[in-house]
Amino acid sequence: MDATAHPLRPPLRHRLPRAVRTALVCSALVAFPLVLLLTVTFVSGGPLAFYSALDTVPRYALPALAMALPAVLLRRAPLVTLALMLLGSVTMTLAIHSHPDYLSDLRYLQLLAVDLVVGFVAATRSRRGSVTVAVLALCAEILIGYLRPVDDSPVFQPEIPLLAMLASWMIGNSVRARRRYAEALRSQATAQAVTAERLRIARELHDMVAHSIGIIAIQAGVGSRVIHSQPAEAGAALSAIETTSRETLAGLRRVLGRLRQADPAGPASREPAPGLADLDRLATGTAEAGVRVEVCRHGEPRPLPAEIELSAYRIVQEAVTNVVRHAGVPDCRVTLDYRAEDLVVEVLDEGRGGPVAATGYGITGMRERVALLHGDFEAGPVAGAGFRVLARLPLPEAASTPAVPG
């Protein structure tokens, strides 16, 4: 289902204009004393007898409405809401003279309303503040129960208000703890996502810029040495510098374009990310820097997922850059082995070899790329002389089996 077909809508109270919300709140506050007075007037008096629904419904609906009206201030001022509900409880308890069963029913209604507000305070305020509010509200409920006790009615004794208040506060505090835990998890996930994105951008920029700058440095050195003796060779070096610079700028624009996209699901950059089909162009540029790259493909070449293509290309690019900068050899070999379940990338040279340097980001970046794809990576000197970079990238099921032509 398309997410854009049903956009998220704010709650109703946020969709209403501010003036309308304010008018509703003011109307409820003005109606509270009127409804409370109407309740006391209607249900107070002698013994209560319910003969019909016309008598029964108002006697319970009016007190419920009087206790519910202060809830309009619950989100803005929960303490004011609590104070108004306690005021309503005191007023109805003192003014109503009715049957004991009816007073017990009103007592349950009052406890329910007050405890719900205390639970909301526990869920949205600090633990110390909510405990203070719960203790004060409990004391008020117990005092109200002693104002007009009803014989043999446990709801007017301290036990039921105490247990109800404890349950309400514990539920609200549990909701608050769950919310804080969920917020901590979201913050941690956001921080991890930001860190992962920074590492991805760092790898992308390092692999792209390091290779290009290395080629440019070598070509610039060649051009400066032969500019007077061999002008044609110097011109070729300058042409290679121009081509490499333009490719690097295009890659930087692509990376920056992705960073500027406000919607990750929006249209992608017009310039596609490099893949294994661009290895021949990479080999041509490296040959102009003085190192011939032999690209060998085994198995049946086929389109692979974009992340596999990009990672394999960047691994070859970084490995070839290291050959140009450190190996001191005129050539190297790149081997791509298309297997049924994985892609194996090998870059081998016969240069000076030596252990992997402790500093630098090239080998580290290649290892991180392979680890993100749950593959295997090796880099180190080979027997005799030379250096080898070996990466195995597992393929998803959709790309593991080449398509059979129909």
Side-chain angles (χ1 to χ4, degrees), residues 213-236:
I213 295 301
I215 298 297
I216 290 173
I218 293 176
Q219 293 289 356
V222 172
S224 63
R225 286 194 296 268
V226 301
I227 189 170
H228 298 295
S229 59
Q230 301 179 16
E233 187 68 20

Side-chain angles (χ1 to χ4, degrees), residues 300-331:
E300 182 178 353
R302 58 189 182 274
L304 301 178
E307 63 273 13
I308 302 291
E309 293 261 351
L310 177 61
S311 296
Y313 177 86
R314 293 303 186 196
I315 290 171
V316 173
Q317 185 183 48
E318 177 61 26
V320 169
T321 301
N322 290 336
V323 173
V324 174
R325 297 173 61 184
H326 307 297
V329 292
D331 54 28

Side-chain angles (χ1 to χ4, degrees), residues 66-401:
M67 297 299 294
L69 284 175
V72 296
L73 291 176
L74 187 59
R75 289 183 176 273
R76 298 185 180 182
L79 298 183
V80 176
T81 301
L82 183 61
L84 291 177
M85 288 185 176
L86 291 174
L87 176 61
S89 299
V90 171
T91 303
M92 286 188 287
T93 302
L94 290 177
I96 295 176
H97 306 278
S98 298
H99 195 275
D101 292 340
Y102 178 65
L103 286 179
S104 299
D105 293 341
L106 293 186
R107 175 69 169 168
Y108 281 114
L109 175 63
Q110 296 165 6
L111 293 180
L112 176 62
V114 172
D115 291 346
L116 286 177
V117 176
V118 172
F120 179 82
V121 172
T124 56
R125 298 295 190 270
S126 65
R127 180 175 299 176
R128 179 179 300 179
S130 65
V131 168
T132 303
V133 171
V135 171
L136 294 177
L138 177 62
C139 294
E141 287 179 340
I142 294 175
L143 290 176
I144 294 172
Y146 282 114
L147 292 177
R148 186 176 295 280
V150 177
D151 295 337
D152 300 330
S153 180
V155 73
F156 284 91
Q157 303 302 319
E159 289 80 4
I160 289 183
L162 175 61
L163 294 177
M165 183 64 68
L166 282 176
S168 178
W169 183 87
M170 291 178 64
I171 293 174
N173 185 68
S174 176
V175 171
R176 183 188 65 86
R178 278 179 166 272
R179 184 182 294 116
R180 292 187 60 183
Y181 180 69
E183 290 175 355
L185 288 181
R186 285 195 295 268
S187 300
Q188 182 179 3
T190 301
Q192 292 176 349
V194 170
T195 301
E197 183 67 10
R198 290 176 59 185
L199 291 176
R200 186 191 67 80
I201 295 171
R203 287 192 299 268
E204 191 76 9
L205 292 178
H206 175 273
D207 294 345
M208 179 170 49
V209 174
H211 171 79
S212 302
I213 295 301
I215 298 297
I216 290 173
I218 293 176
Q219 293 289 356
V222 172
S224 63
R225 286 194 296 268
V226 301
I227 189 170
H228 298 295
S229 59
Q230 301 179 16
E233 187 68 20
L238 292 176
S239 178
I241 290 175
E242 179 184 7
T243 301
T244 304
S245 300
R246 292 184 183 278
E247 293 177 354
T248 305
L249 287 175
L252 289 175
R253 290 192 189 99
R254 182 176 60 251
V255 173
L256 295 177
R258 292 177 182 172
L259 294 178
R260 291 193 181 102
Q261 285 182 0
D263 182 9
S269 174
R270 289 176 297 178
E271 299 177 359
L276 297 178
D278 300 306
L279 287 182
D280 294 333
R281 180 165 53 87
L282 175 67
T284 301
T286 307
E288 294 175 352
V291 176
R292 186 177 64 87
V293 178
E294 180 185 0
V295 180
C296 301
R297 294 178 173 86
H298 301 295
E300 182 178 353
R302 58 189 182 274
L304 301 178
E307 63 273 13
I308 302 291
E309 293 261 351
L310 177 61
S311 296
Y313 177 86
R314 293 303 186 196
I315 290 171
V316 173
Q317 185 183 48
E318 177 61 26
V320 169
T321 301
N322 290 336
V323 173
V324 174
R325 297 173 61 184
H326 307 297
V329 292
D331 54 28
C332 66
R333 184 173 71 251
V334 175
T335 303
L336 301 177
D337 189 0
Y338 291 84
R339 300 178 180 177
E341 298 181 353
D342 51 33
L343 172 70
V344 178
V345 180
E346 182 188 50
V347 180
L348 180 65
D349 67 79
E350 298 179 355
R352 292 187 291 264
V356 177
T359 60
Y361 300 101
I363 299 295
T364 301
M366 288 189 285
R367 181 174 287 109
E368 289 176 349
R369 285 185 180 276
V370 175
L372 288 175
L373 298 174
H374 308 287
D376 300 321
F377 179 80
E378 297 178 9
V382 296
F387 196 89
R388 184 181 71 164
V389 172
L390 181 65
R392 185 189 66 83
L393 306 178
L395 302 178
E397 295 182 1
S400 59
T401 304

